[in-house]
Amino acid sequence: MDEENLTIAPHEMQEFGEFKRQKRVTEARAVIRKLELNFTQAQAERTALRRSANDAEKLGIGGICVQPYLVKSCAEYLGADSSVAVVACLSSGGGDVTDIKVKQLKRAIKDGADVAEVTVCVAAVKEGSWGYVRRELKKLRKTAKKIALRINVEAPLLTSQELSKLCSLACECGIACIRTASDGFGSGADEEDLKIIKAALKDRAAVKADGADAIGRMATLTDLGASVVGSSAALTLALSLLAAAEK
């Protein structure tokens, strides 16, 4: 083969470079789809939510997590055809009785939630009141109907045995996704807790892990099995991922 046939033309190099760039961007956007913006601060307001919803749409993140007060507004800002999910975070702390949680869930569905995250009754778990927990999970699952239901287990508050049993019970009740914890009791996702959850679920349910404040941390959580990653810095992380892909 002569040397001329081995020469790559400039336009071919340019096309190859563009192909690699597009591939990086596609891969980055797939990672960004796993991100959900935590917009659950007590002082969260509609004006800021509107801006965040617009940015989330442009960046293509997976969802925006809001308190019940903002579910309807979030759904309106995103619109019916948005690919960004409205995630209603219900029963912060988990101490509401089951009937209240069911009413909150019904209202969130009416207001336009695509996903509902309901905190388990941690006190019932600590007491070993597994019958109560089972009945609550089944009622929530029945009420959720067509929208996705996640159970927030607040892992930092549980022993490894309690966490493992709770996750197994959730699977038995048809829960499709477990959220490791909110950010109210630590970082949101302890690596050891995440391992316990994955082992207990045995791929019967997905996992959402919170607390990704940097791209490296997000990578760690996904490597450990999280299919959804929650972060108050989700928009910044998405921008960083796209910027790195464009280089």
Side-chain angles (χ1 to χ4, degrees):
M1 185 177 293
D2 56 40
E3 186 175 335
E4 182 179 351
N5 291 332
L6 292 175
T7 302
I8 300 176
H11 75 277
E12 292 176 323
M13 287 292 295
Q14 184 176 5
E15 289 175 356
F16 183 60
E18 176 61 16
F19 168 78
K20 290 196 295 183
R21 186 194 68 81
Q22 291 181 7
K23 184 173 184 294
R24 291 194 303 270
V25 170
T26 299
E27 291 171 346
R29 291 198 176 278
V31 174
I32 290 169
R33 286 296 301 166
K34 297 180 180 181
L35 278 169
E36 289 185 350
L37 174 64
N38 286 344
F39 198 86
T40 54
Q41 308 92 328
Q43 72 274 25
E45 298 177 350
R46 287 190 178 91
T47 302
L49 176 59
R50 185 190 292 272
R51 291 195 300 269
S52 294
N54 185 53
D55 291 341
E57 190 78 63
K58 291 178 180 178
L59 292 167
I61 70 171
I64 303 178
C65 306
V66 293
Q67 294 182 1
Y69 174 69
L70 292 176
V71 170
K72 187 174 182 180
S73 295
C74 189
E76 291 174 350
Y77 297 155
L78 288 171
D81 298 326
S82 176
S83 63
V84 181
V86 179
V87 184
C89 296
L90 310 177
S91 190
S92 176
D96 297 312
V97 296
T98 302
D99 288 349
I100 297 299
K101 291 181 181 180
V102 168
K103 288 181 180 179
Q104 289 178 333
L105 180 52
K106 287 180 178 179
R107 176 60 186 266
I109 294 171
K110 180 181 178 181
D111 285 348
D114 302 298
V115 182
E117 291 181 350
V118 187
T119 303
V120 72
C121 183
V122 175
V125 174
K126 302 299 288 185
E127 291 175 350
S129 300
W130 295 107
Y132 180 94
V133 176
R134 181 189 297 273
R135 289 190 296 273
E136 180 168 280
L137 293 178
K138 285 186 175 182
K139 284 187 178 181
L140 291 170
R141 181 67 193 91
K142 183 178 180 180
T143 304
K145 296 180 180 179
K146 294 182 179 180
I147 76 164
L149 174 66
R150 299 177 189 153
I151 297 299
N152 171 26
V153 297
E154 295 293 14
L157 302 180
L158 306 179
T159 66
S160 58
Q161 292 81 7
E162 291 166 344
L163 182 56
S164 181
K165 185 167 183 175
L166 175 57
C167 290
S168 295
L169 180 58
C171 289
E172 293 173 17
C173 295
I175 304 302
C177 185
I178 296 295
R179 181 185 181 188
T180 57
S182 65
D183 55 5
F185 304 99
S187 64
D190 179 84
E191 293 178 21
E192 291 305 313
D193 287 340
L194 186 50
K195 291 176 184 177
I196 292 170
I197 291 170
K198 284 293 294 181
L201 295 178
K202 298 178 180 177
D203 294 326
R204 293 175 292 174
V207 179
K208 175 183 175 180
D210 278 70
D213 55 1
I215 293 175
R217 177 62 174 165
M218 180 183 180
T220 296
L221 297 177
T222 54
D223 287 346
L224 288 172
S227 56
V228 182
V229 177
S231 173
S232 57
L235 299 177
T236 301
L237 292 177
L239 286 169
S240 297
L241 286 163
L242 287 175
E246 291 286 358
K247 290 182 179 179

